[in-house]
């Protein structure tokens, strides 16, 4: 199986469906809770298992597990591959059970560490602890989902893992609509919705696992060399892959200290930024890792990396412009209902602006890092991830109090730029990657198309007062016209520049 735009498109298409449901979920949450105490409590509670998910689940685990599994598939018998997967599943499950138990019992400690500012409000603190105890087992479920997804991706089955997150959003939406209105604290129902969604995610992947021959009971064999190698790779991969999540963790700590509702402002803006990152960045990284693993000793390796980087620029540049210029229309259209008011829109846009500047470096890092993981080098991304966390800490401490959510989001983007730059520099120094010919022309033509697109959006987007005055239907229609029109205009401008790489990028 070669890397192709078709595979990326399959993953992106399914992820797009999940993100649309994610927006529907966030619209409902904004309507129910706005940017108040319940919203802050839930966003912190769900962030704790999500942080551990990145440390022990889908991010780091996939980057440690998929290269070793890919090697087994190529070099070992089918029976040996099955035994290796069962062993990995057993040790992962045991680790997750222990971590989940610690998380549930020590929820108050985790909440105090993540949001120390909540301690000044006992009701808010206790609600966050309760929600954390409910949501923490989601870590176990989603990590097993990540194991299944890594297996399926290695065998070229990208669509099922990409579609799986839909069920998390369905679980939360169903709980928010059907259960929340009937209890005194509606946010508790939403927290249980995460658990229901996680169970549905895992059940959805079981038939696909059966089809590839890996639906087996986990076991705890102690001497499988593949398991030992995966565990050796997992530690460094956890730090390297989780740099962005650790930065978000630090942002949450500071956000709880610098001002009321800052946690919620960061959450709503982060949801918009996660759309291009999730739809395209995750899709590209998902397809690139198993492909680079197979090509790690091939002359195709740098060409695949170059292909992925050109698509990063081609998509990431207009996505950045779109979020920066249409940020307030997006926030108003998606969230300005019920408890989420016009002041919340203005405050959320500040963090959206800061986060939006980090789209390109974050996607680039998701392309650069698999180049190391495919060669079973998890230490290099780990070191650079630690450096990026240090950068984030310093800049956050400098900017958090004077700029609040804007300062925190800017710190995240600057740290992401540092991480991507360090990864690129190391690939260059070790002669792993050299840009293919034509990059200067490619950058010039795409930048020109993006600049014209930006000018058009600036004059066509209207004012926030217009968007606040319009009904929901008019907002949605106007936003769709702007988005679809932007895509068509950008594509037309690229066609006018007669960019030869477009045909090559599509065919590769």
């Amino acid at each position: 199986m070669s890397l192709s735009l078709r595979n990326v498109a399959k993953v992106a298409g399914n992820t797009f469906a999940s993100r649309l449901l994610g927006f529907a979920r966030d619209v409902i949450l904004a309507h129910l809770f706005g940017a108040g105490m319940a919203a802050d409590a839930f966003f912190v509670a769900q962030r704790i298992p999500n942080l551990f998910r990145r440390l022990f689940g889908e991010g780091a685990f996939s980057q440690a597990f998929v290269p070793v599994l890919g090697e087994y598939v190529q070099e070992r018998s089918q029976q040996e591959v099955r035994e290796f997967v069962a062993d990995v599943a057993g040790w992962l499950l045991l680790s997750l059970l222990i971590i989940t138990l610690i998380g549930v019992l020590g929820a108050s400690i985790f909440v105090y560490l993540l949001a120390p500012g909540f301690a000044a409000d006992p009701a808010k603190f206790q609600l966050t602890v309760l929600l954390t105890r409910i949501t923490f087992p989601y870590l176990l479920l989603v990590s097993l989902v990540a194991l299944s997804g890594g297996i399926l991706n290695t065998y070229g089955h990208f669509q099922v893992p990409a579609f799986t997150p839909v069920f998390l959003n369905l679980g939360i939406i169903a709980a928010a609509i059907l259960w929340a209105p009937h209890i005194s604290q509606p946010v508790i129902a939403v927290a249980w919705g995460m658990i229901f969604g996680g169970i549905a995610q895992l059940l959805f992947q079981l038939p696909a696992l059966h089809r590839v021959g890996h639906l087996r009971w986990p076991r705890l064999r102690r001497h499988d060399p593949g398991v030992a190698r995966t565990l050796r790779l997992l530690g460094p991969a956890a730090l390297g892959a989780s740099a962005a999540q650790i930065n978000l963790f630090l942002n949450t700590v500071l956000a709880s200290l610098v001002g009321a509702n800052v946690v919620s402002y960061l959450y709503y803006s982060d949801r918009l930024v996660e759309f291009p990152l999730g739809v395209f960045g995750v899709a590209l990284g998902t397809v690139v890792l198993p492909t680079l693993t197979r090509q790690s000793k091939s002359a195709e390796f740098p060409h695949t990396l170059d292909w992925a980087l050109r698509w990063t620029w081609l998509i990431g540049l207009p996505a950045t412009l779109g979020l920066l210029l249409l940020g307030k229309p997006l926030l108003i259209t998606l969230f300005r209902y019920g408890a989420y008011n016009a002041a919340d829109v203005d405050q959320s846009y500040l963090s959206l602006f800061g986060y939006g500047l980090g789209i390109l470096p974050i996607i680039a890092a998701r392309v650069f890092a698999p180049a190391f993981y495919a060669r079973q080098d998890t230490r290099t991304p780990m070191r650079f991830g630690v450096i990026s966390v240090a950068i984030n800490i310093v800049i956050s401490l400098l900017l958090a109090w004077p700029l609040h959510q804007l300062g925190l989001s800017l710190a995240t983007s600057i740290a992401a730029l540092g991480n991507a730059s360090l990864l690129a520099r190391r690939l260059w120094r070790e002669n792993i990657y050299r840009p293919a010919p034509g990059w200067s022309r490619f950058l010039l033509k795409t930048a020109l198309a993006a600049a014209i697109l930006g000018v058009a959006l600036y004059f066509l987007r209207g004012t926030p007062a217009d968007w606040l005055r319009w009904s929901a239907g008019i907002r949605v229609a106007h936003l769709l016209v702007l988005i679809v029109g932007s895509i068509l205009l950008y594509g037309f401008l690229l066609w006018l520049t007669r960019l030869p790489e477009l045909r090559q990028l599509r065919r590769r």
Side-chain angles (χ1 to χ4, degrees):
M1 182 197 67
S2 62
L3 179 64
S4 72
L5 185 58
R6 183 181 296 108
N7 287 332
V8 176
K10 286 178 181 179
V11 178
N14 285 306
T15 307
F16 181 74
S18 172
R19 297 294 169 171
L20 284 181
L21 275 175
F23 277 133
R25 174 200 68 200
D26 292 334
V27 168
I28 293 169
L29 295 181
H31 180 81
L32 288 174
F33 309 122
M37 183 186 79
D40 279 0
F42 175 70
F43 297 149
V44 168
Q46 60 90 31
R47 185 160 289 174
I48 292 173
N50 278 328
L51 171 67
F52 280 91
R53 182 192 75 189
R54 291 292 186 183
L55 289 171
F56 303 104
E58 62 189 25
F61 180 79
S62 294
Q63 287 145 1
F65 172 63
V66 170
V68 179
L69 177 60
E71 180 183 304
Y72 265 63
V73 170
Q74 288 182 316
E75 300 177 2
R76 305 291 185 96
S77 68
Q78 189 175 20
Q79 182 60 29
E80 287 177 304
V81 175
R82 288 175 176 170
E83 291 175 352
F84 164 64
V85 170
D87 291 338
V88 169
W91 288 108
L92 177 65
L93 180 59
L94 177 62
S95 302
L96 291 171
L97 287 171
I98 295 171
I99 294 167
T100 300
L101 182 62
I102 293 172
V104 171
L105 296 178
S108 59
I109 297 173
F110 284 114
V111 172
Y112 188 80
L113 291 173
L114 184 61
F118 285 13
D121 185 343
K124 190 174 189 176
F125 184 84
Q126 290 303 322
L127 178 60
T128 309
V129 170
L130 173 61
L131 297 178
T132 300
R133 289 199 170 111
I134 295 171
T135 59
F136 208 98
Y138 178 70
L139 161 68
L140 188 151
L141 295 166
V142 78
S143 298
L144 294 177
V145 168
L147 170 66
S148 304
I151 297 168
L152 295 173
N153 288 337
T154 301
Y155 283 89
H157 299 277
F158 296 106
Q159 288 182 284
V160 169
F163 189 77
T164 298
V166 164
F167 293 96
L168 171 63
N169 295 322
L170 287 175
I172 294 176
I173 290 171
I177 293 175
L178 301 177
W179 186 10
H182 305 290
I183 61 175
S184 59
Q185 286 186 303
V187 71
I188 292 177
V190 175
W192 277 109
M194 279 188 66
I195 302 301
F196 301 148
I199 294 170
Q201 285 180 290
L202 184 58
L203 293 176
F204 176 69
Q205 291 197 336
L206 296 184
L209 274 181
H210 176 70
R211 286 194 294 272
V212 297
H214 285 291
L215 186 59
R216 297 167 59 89
W217 285 106
R219 63 181 191 175
L220 294 172
R221 191 173 59 164
R222 305 179 71 178
H223 303 296
D224 190 316
V227 174
R229 194 163 3 132
T230 300
L231 292 175
R232 283 197 302 270
L233 295 172
L234 182 58
L239 286 176
S242 304
Q245 291 300 310
I246 294 172
N247 288 339
L248 284 175
F249 175 92
L250 296 171
N251 276 3
T252 304
V253 172
L254 291 174
S256 74
L257 296 171
V258 301
N261 304 329
V262 172
V263 169
S264 294
Y265 299 144
L266 289 168
Y267 175 84
Y268 288 122
S269 56
D270 178 61
R271 299 314 302 156
L272 290 179
V273 174
E274 277 295 322
F275 192 77
L277 292 180
V279 171
F280 180 72
V282 171
L284 198 57
T286 298
V287 176
V288 161
L289 178 57
T291 306
L292 289 177
T293 298
R294 285 187 295 275
Q295 297 176 350
S296 59
K297 299 177 183 179
S298 165
E300 283 295 303
F301 187 91
H303 299 303
T304 295
L305 199 54
D306 196 83
W307 181 93
L309 288 172
R310 294 197 188 216
W311 272 108
T312 295
W313 176 261
L314 197 65
I315 302 297
L317 182 60
T320 300
L321 276 175
L323 276 178
L324 297 183
L325 292 171
L326 297 179
K328 286 190 177 181
L330 283 164
L331 288 166
I332 292 169
T333 302
L334 292 171
F335 304 132
R336 175 59 190 97
Y337 311 99
Y340 189 87
N341 57 40
D344 295 331
V345 170
D346 291 334
Q347 294 300 317
S348 298
Y349 178 72
L350 294 175
S351 49
L352 176 61
F353 183 86
Y355 280 145
L357 296 176
I359 288 176
L360 272 168
I362 290 174
I363 298 178
R366 290 180 179 178
V367 173
F368 286 133
F372 295 95
Y373 297 132
R375 299 159 63 89
Q376 299 190 22
D377 174 9
T378 59
R379 294 186 178 275
T380 298
M382 176 202 70
R383 287 197 296 269
F384 296 153
V386 170
I387 292 172
S388 76
V389 170
I391 293 171
N392 183 66
I393 292 172
V394 172
I395 298 175
S396 293
L397 291 174
L398 290 173
L399 299 182
W401 275 266
L403 298 179
H404 291 194
Q405 65 266 30
L406 174 59
L408 293 170
S409 57
L410 282 173
T412 299
S413 293
I414 295 170
L417 178 62
N419 189 32
S421 300
L422 289 169
L423 290 168
R425 182 170 175 266
R426 178 57 60 88
L427 289 170
W428 175 277
R429 286 182 57 187
E430 295 187 1
N431 202 30
I432 297 172
Y433 169 68
R434 287 286 186 273
W439 263 98
S440 297
R441 177 182 54 195
F442 176 77
L443 292 174
L444 179 62
K445 292 185 175 182
T446 50
L448 177 62
I452 295 172
L453 172 63
V455 171
L457 281 177
Y458 179 81
F459 287 105
L460 294 174
R461 62 182 175 172
T463 67
D466 294 328
W467 289 86
L468 288 168
R469 187 178 65 252
W470 292 335
S471 67
I474 294 176
R475 290 175 190 171
V476 171
H478 200 74
L479 188 61
L480 286 175
V481 168
L482 285 174
I483 293 174
V484 174
S486 297
I487 294 171
L488 294 176
L489 176 60
Y490 185 62
F492 176 70
L493 291 170
L494 291 177
W495 177 80
L496 279 183
T497 63
R498 300 188 181 279
L499 196 67
E501 286 85 357
L502 279 179
R503 182 174 299 177
Q504 299 166 14
L505 286 170
R506 189 174 65 250
R507 287 182 174 179
R508 180 168 178 75

